[in-house]
Amino acid sequence: EHSIKVDGAISNQCTQFVKLGLKSRSSKNVCVVVALHLKAKPGFETTQEKQGSDILDVLKNRFGETPAIICGDFNAEPIEKVYELFTKSALNLKSAYRTAGGSEPEFTTWKIRPGAEVRHTIDYIWYSSDSFTLRGVSELPKTGEEIGPERLPSYAYPSDHLALCCDLSFAK
């Protein structure tokens, strides 16, 4: 577990880093899986960028060249700086859904708020593209009718975020 730091101070968000050794008859592969939840609410874009930078620094400094899978609720749209930070990282990260479909999903959360419905793409799976081959991603609903009239959470999708899933294999 790693407490995310922003300007040297520990924030109330935490990130889990797990180093996995995957053994088979033909290989002994190792990777780091990171589960995160970045700061929410409009106005915290700079905080999210600093949190993302801290996570990338931990990966680089603590795990070096170990391939990584980073997933979770970034609370940031693809146009925001923390997303750009991951796309331009020296770790050669790629977004699974963008790689599979040419763009991110139209939404990963869809809620009814007082006076409006809000749809956002704020959840991602990033992977070290030098070390993994993307074999596929789970299909996500594309319309409100598929989700249900109350949007998320719903009977068919019991979280306020859609579950993202991808199939990765070691490239080597």
Side-chain angles (χ1 to χ4, degrees), residues 117-167:
E117 285 190 41
V118 291
R119 296 181 347 162
H120 298 286
T121 300
I122 57 176
D123 306 282
Y124 308 97
I125 301 172
W126 296 91
Y127 64 95
S128 300
S129 61
D130 294 344
S131 301
F132 292 105
T133 300
L134 178 66
R135 298 169 53 121
V137 295
S138 62
E139 191 170 328
L140 299 176
K142 294 179 179 27
T143 67
E145 291 75 31
E146 291 177 81
I147 296 172
E150 300 300 316
R151 304 307 183 236
L152 297 173
S154 70
Y155 182 75
Y157 300 93
S159 173
D160 63 333
H161 294 256
L162 295 173
L164 304 185
C165 182
C166 72
D167 184 0

Side-chain angles (χ1 to χ4, degrees), residues 20-155:
L20 300 173
L22 308 170
K23 295 181 183 178
S24 70
R25 291 182 182 148
S26 59
S27 67
K28 294 180 183 176
N29 294 308
V30 175
C31 70
V32 177
V33 177
V34 181
L36 61 80
H37 186 226
L38 300 186
K39 182 73 176 169
K41 301 193 184 190
F44 285 95
E45 293 83 4
T46 301
T47 299
Q48 293 166 342
E49 184 181 10
K50 290 176 181 178
Q51 290 174 327
S53 181
D54 183 54
I55 291 163
L56 293 171
D57 286 346
V58 169
L59 280 170
K60 179 182 167 193
N61 297 327
R62 192 179 296 174
F63 298 101
E65 300 289 317
T66 306
I69 301 167
I70 306 142
C71 52
D73 181 353
F74 283 71
N75 276 307
E77 296 275 357
I79 59 169
E80 295 182 53
K81 289 189 177 187
V82 69
Y83 183 94
E84 182 181 349
L85 187 68
F86 276 72
T87 63
K88 295 182 176 179
S89 164
L91 299 173
N92 294 317
L93 299 172
K94 287 193 177 178
S95 164
Y97 278 82
R98 184 175 184 181
T99 300
S103 65
E104 295 296 351
E106 285 190 44
F107 59 90
T108 59
T109 184
W110 189 344
K111 301 172 188 157
I112 297 177
R113 298 283 192 212
E117 285 190 41
V118 291
R119 296 181 347 162
H120 298 286
T121 300
I122 57 176
D123 306 282
Y124 308 97
I125 301 172
W126 296 91
Y127 64 95
S128 300
S129 61
D130 294 344
S131 301
F132 292 105
T133 300
L134 178 66
R135 298 169 53 121
V137 295
S138 62
E139 191 170 328
L140 299 176
K142 294 179 179 27
T143 67
E145 291 75 31
E146 291 177 81
I147 296 172
E150 300 300 316
R151 304 307 183 236
L152 297 173
S154 70
Y155 182 75

